[in-house]
Amino acid sequence: MSSLPPVLYHYFSTPLPYARTLALQEQLHAIQLQHRRSSGTHRDILLLLQHRPVYTAGRRQVSTSPEVEVEAKRLRGIGADFVNTLRGGETTYHGPGQIVGYPLLDLGRWSPPMGIRSYICNMQKMLQTHLLEAHGIRYISSEHTGVFLDEQTKIASIGVQVRHRFTSHGFSMNITREPLAWFDRVVACGLADVKAGCIADAVKKDSSTITVEGEIEGLVERFGRVFQREMIKMDVNLAGIDLMGAIRAVEEDAEGAGGWLAGPAR
């Protein structure tokens, strides 16, 4: 393990609204930047969560174009939110049954500083390692970013943003079959010949034992291993710490929110 400070991680047990979580990333980014400038004692963070059903458009798309507006109206009509983002990539889906990871890291902490390409490659390696070690699931090499089980089946996506050397957005991986019907309603990531896959369909054992919560410990361990960082579980109940307070407020909001539509049948 390197001499770099540990990464604090937190798993939200209640699915979060996407826009509220996006605002949380912005808030944590500002706190990290302020602490780095004032004292150099800023924390690196890994947020793990599920989202309430949402389709997001990446910065490759023009958010005000008539086509995107029509698409947003259609997708809201089946019970999902639609949000424009500044991450890389095109339209994708997030929702229950899928792990989303938001690493908020200072890439300048590595020596030499880690570049964006290396960061994405490490994230992809982490996901591939988890699938192979935890479930014996083999993947193929692809010219596209993400993790593919074969040329037509994508199980994990990556889309990141880096500002002031701090990362935001991150990765998603389908765990149960629940996200698949939602993915069927879009051309995810602009890949017309590719469908979404999930761990539950790919495992050789009883898929009823596959849960999002069951993946968290293994993902955290492999994230730390690939990025060579110690991982420490965050105590969001600590008083007087701005990072913890921001995260705790979002979690409390999610716990008080109502349900969502069941969504499309598969």
Side-chain angles (χ1 to χ4, degrees), residues 70-93:
V70 170
E71 181 74 344
K73 182 177 180 180
R74 178 180 73 86
L75 295 174
R76 290 188 181 111
I78 63 174
D81 293 331
F82 187 92
V83 180
N84 293 301
T85 76
L86 295 176
R87 60 159 173 79
E90 300 184 44
T91 299
T92 192
Y93 169 78

Side-chain angles (χ1 to χ4, degrees), residues 201-245:
D201 281 345
V203 292
K204 307 301 182 184
K205 55 188 177 183
D206 181 6
S207 63
S208 66
T209 64
I210 302 299
T211 65
V212 171
E213 289 75 11
E215 305 297 313
I216 299 302
E217 183 178 348
L219 271 175
V220 168
E221 189 279 325
R222 293 173 183 98
F223 186 94
R225 190 197 318 165
V226 170
F227 284 93
Q228 298 185 317
R229 302 289 292 272
E230 181 185 1
M231 307 296 293
I232 294 181
K233 188 174 183 179
M234 188 182 299
D235 184 355
V236 298
N237 294 313
L238 288 176
I241 300 179
D242 44 8
L243 287 172
M244 282 50 164

Side-chain angles (χ1 to χ4, degrees), residues 123-193:
M123 198 181 303
Q124 186 161 301
K125 179 181 178 183
M126 180 270 297
L127 294 169
Q128 292 170 336
T129 302
H130 179 77
L131 288 171
L132 187 59
E133 292 184 353
H135 300 289
I137 298 173
R138 299 195 174 275
Y139 51 87
I140 66 164
S141 298
S142 174
E143 61 182 308
H144 303 292
T145 302
V147 182
F148 291 75
L149 304 184
D150 54 52
E151 292 182 357
Q152 284 78 43
T153 309
K154 186 178 185 181
I155 196 169
S157 299
I158 296 171
V160 305
Q161 183 182 25
V162 179
R163 293 168 296 160
H164 308 292
R165 300 198 310 268
F166 283 112
T167 66
S168 59
H169 297 279
F171 65 86
S172 62
M173 183 163 58
N174 301 325
I175 310 303
T176 71
R177 297 184 178 93
E178 192 172 357
L180 303 189
W182 296 90
F183 271 107
D184 287 345
R185 297 302 183 95
V186 295
V187 178
C189 304
L191 302 176
D193 298 327

